[in-house]
Amino acid sequence: MDELDKKLYHDLALDIEVPSKLEKVIKEELQKERKKAIYYSFPKIAITACVSLLVTTGIVYAGTILTNNIWKEPEKVIGFYAEENNEKNRVTEIEKARAMSKNDAELRAKELLKKFGHNNEVIKLIELDNNPNNYELIWHIETTNGSFVEFEAQKGKSFSVFFESVLAKDIDNYRTTEEKATTVAKELCEKYGYSSKKYSEVEISSNLVSEKEAYIWYADFSKKYDEIVNPYETIKIGFIPEINEIYYFIFKDEEYDNNSIEVSKEQAEKIAVDAEQQINTGYNVKSIHSNLDIAKMNGDAYARKVDYDQYYQERHSKNYSLNNTIIYRTDSRIRKVWMVTIEYDTLNQSNSNTNIYDEYYTYYIDATTGEIIGGNPLYFMSNNK
């Protein structure tokens, strides 16, 4: 994975959609979206971030309701992706104690390989990994045949599998329609023991813009709460319909707080604007966009607040050293939030160094407490293709 991919990898939601080490999947998605760069359309796999600018108050007033804060000061991690820091970022003995054993992890991996018809593969690597954005642990397994398996390390319920051998076949010879692809996707879910009927939101896409030329299809099945899609209760598959071959299958079943809406849209926008005024971006605000969504805590907005120059350089300098990148680790709570997007008038800026990170910034405003619990520069683009 090159430097640019690692930077995008940090901002795209790999903790949501794509396993952390499936570089081939990441690269494929990045390349696919780069071809559509004119629309600034990135995969809907955004890594999110979290921060509160109200940490000194201890409590937050949301309307007339007094609510307790959920935000905690994040942990600063420097150079997580740098190879030199592999030892420093290794999982501690305390962390290992809350994960399933290596033997159990191997059994779980073999169980998943067998489920998807790859039971004869030989495991060559199994390791327990940290998530740099929160404190979740992931078992990562590789086989000699180029297959990858990942799952959450405690119970192994949420998982991802990727089969490289499928991509080595003559899959570009197969074609189908979106209607047929949708039918096949539902059949594949049923085949592997996951009913698509439990998911009210279905999204179908293909690897190429032209349906007639597409040969890989993607299906996302998601649950909804009050008409809001929960990206942490999903099934995502990549497949070749004509031969019913799965090349990745991702199952997410993470607990959602389902917190109440106590903060109004207007209050959320004011919180975001007040926060933005504390940062000297040098850009003029063009407009503000707001909507309710479900998101996971992360530290992006906090990093942007405490050292904007550092944040800016990481995303604008092509050769920025991975040794110097800074990530703020947070809890991984999933909450209902107001997504308040600040759109900038960067087209009128004289600075020629502007890029996709200068178009928008989205704050995650907790719908109950009014705290800023995250942020993402790519959220608005990925949700408004």
Side-chain angles (χ1 to χ4, degrees):
M1 188 185 293
D2 60 31
E3 297 285 313
L4 176 59
D5 283 352
K6 286 183 178 180
K7 290 176 186 177
L8 288 172
Y9 179 96
H10 170 59
D11 288 309
L12 297 177
L14 301 183
D15 64 322
I16 299 172
E17 314 288 5
V18 178
S20 64
K21 288 196 173 181
L22 302 191
E23 297 178 7
K24 199 175 186 70
V25 174
I26 298 167
K27 282 183 175 290
E28 180 182 349
E29 289 297 318
L30 287 173
Q31 293 300 327
K32 180 179 69 175
E33 297 301 335
R34 283 169 180 166
K35 292 177 182 178
K36 299 185 289 181
I38 189 172
Y39 302 109
Y40 295 105
S41 174
F42 278 77
K44 294 185 179 179
I45 52 176
I47 275 184
T48 55
C50 105
V51 65
S52 171
L53 301 181
L54 306 172
V55 292
T56 59
T57 63
I59 53 177
V60 175
Y61 287 93
T64 59
I65 298 176
L66 189 65
T67 58
N68 293 324
N69 283 4
I70 61 170
W71 172 260
K72 298 177 182 178
E73 191 77 9
E75 175 193 357
K76 184 178 181 178
V77 180
I78 301 175
F80 187 92
Y81 293 112
E83 292 183 8
E84 296 90 322
N85 293 329
N86 284 346
E87 186 66 32
K88 184 175 71 173
N89 295 320
R90 195 179 297 277
V91 179
T92 66
E93 292 301 319
I94 294 176
E95 290 175 320
K96 287 180 181 178
R98 60 184 175 88
M100 69 172 67
S101 69
K102 186 174 182 178
N103 286 338
D104 287 342
E106 184 173 350
L107 290 173
R108 174 60 173 153
K110 289 179 178 179
E111 175 186 302
L112 288 170
L113 288 168
K114 182 178 180 180
K115 175 192 284 284
F116 291 96
H118 293 256
N119 51 301
N120 293 324
E121 298 195 20
V122 177
I123 293 175
K124 70 173 184 179
L125 173 69
I126 177 167
E127 61 185 10
L128 185 61
D129 292 334
N130 269 319
N131 187 319
N133 298 285
N134 50 52
Y135 299 96
E136 297 172 353
L137 297 173
I138 300 170
W139 275 110
H140 171 77
I141 295 91
E142 298 179 17
T143 75
T144 55
N145 198 37
S147 297
F148 297 82
V149 180
E150 288 193 346
F151 47 83
E152 57 88 11
Q154 288 182 284
K155 297 180 180 179
K157 191 173 183 182
S158 294
F159 68 87
S160 306
V161 294
F162 170 67
F163 304 111
E164 188 179 61
S165 58
V166 173
L167 298 181
K169 299 179 180 180
D170 294 327
I171 59 175
D172 56 344
N173 292 327
Y174 299 100
R175 299 291 184 272
T176 192
T177 64
E178 181 175 334
E179 183 180 1
K180 289 182 179 179
T182 303
T183 300
V184 171
K186 292 178 179 179
E187 291 174 349
L188 287 171
C189 286
E190 296 291 339
K191 176 181 178 180
Y192 296 116
Y194 300 91
S195 175
S196 62
K197 295 178 182 179
K198 296 180 179 180
Y199 302 86
S200 54
E201 182 75 6
V202 182
E203 182 178 339
I204 301 290
S205 60
S206 62
N207 67 319
L208 297 175
V209 175
S210 171
E211 180 181 300
K212 292 182 179 179
E213 297 178 0
Y215 51 90
I216 300 176
W217 287 79
Y218 311 95
D220 297 353
F221 299 90
S222 305
K223 291 186 178 181
K224 275 181 148 183
Y225 296 87
D226 300 322
E227 295 305 307
I228 304 173
V229 171
N230 181 8
Y232 306 95
E233 290 183 282
T234 63
I235 297 174
K236 302 179 73 66
I237 60 176
F239 61 105
I240 298 86
E242 289 298 298
I243 56 175
N244 290 3
E245 285 269 15
I246 289 280
Y247 91 90
Y248 74 72
F249 194 105
I250 300 169
F251 175 71
K252 287 285 185 181
D253 187 16
E254 299 185 38
E255 185 176 350
Y256 159 54
D257 285 353
N258 200 12
N259 52 303
S260 60
I261 302 173
E262 308 293 344
V263 176
S264 69
K265 176 181 176 181
E266 292 72 23
Q267 287 174 315
E269 289 180 350
K270 185 179 186 307
I271 292 167
V273 169
D274 288 347
E276 190 66 14
Q277 289 176 346
Q278 298 181 40
I279 303 173
N280 183 22
T281 64
Y283 303 129
N284 298 320
V285 176
K286 180 180 179 181
S287 59
I288 297 174
H289 312 269
S290 304
N291 62 280
L292 282 168
D293 209 337
I294 294 171
K296 181 182 289 189
M297 280 186 166
N298 64 58
D300 192 82
Y302 186 85
R304 191 170 176 268
K305 170 202 168 188
V306 298
D307 193 343
Y308 181 73
D309 184 62
Q310 162 84 19
Y311 185 91
Y312 180 91
Q313 290 300 324
E314 284 189 21
R315 288 153 182 79
H316 288 74
S317 177
K318 184 177 181 180
N319 299 315
Y320 196 88
S321 173
L322 294 176
N323 289 305
N324 299 325
T325 57
I326 295 176
I327 299 172
Y328 287 88
R329 300 180 81 184
T330 70
D331 293 336
S332 56
R333 295 181 66 172
I334 301 170
R335 304 275 293 180
K336 189 179 286 131
V337 299
W338 282 103
M339 296 292 200
V340 181
T341 299
I342 309 295
E343 181 179 359
Y344 304 103
D345 190 13
T346 54
L347 294 178
N348 295 327
Q349 301 296 318
S350 58
N351 184 0
S352 60
N353 195 34
T354 57
N355 64 21
I356 58 172
Y357 294 101
D358 304 309
E359 299 288 327
Y360 310 91
Y361 193 80
T362 299
Y363 287 94
Y364 300 175
I365 312 298
D366 190 276
T368 305
T369 70
E371 297 169 280
I372 299 176
I373 66 166
N376 185 356
L378 305 180
Y379 170 84
F380 188 79
M381 290 183 287
S382 64
N383 285 273
N384 293 272
K385 291 182 178 180

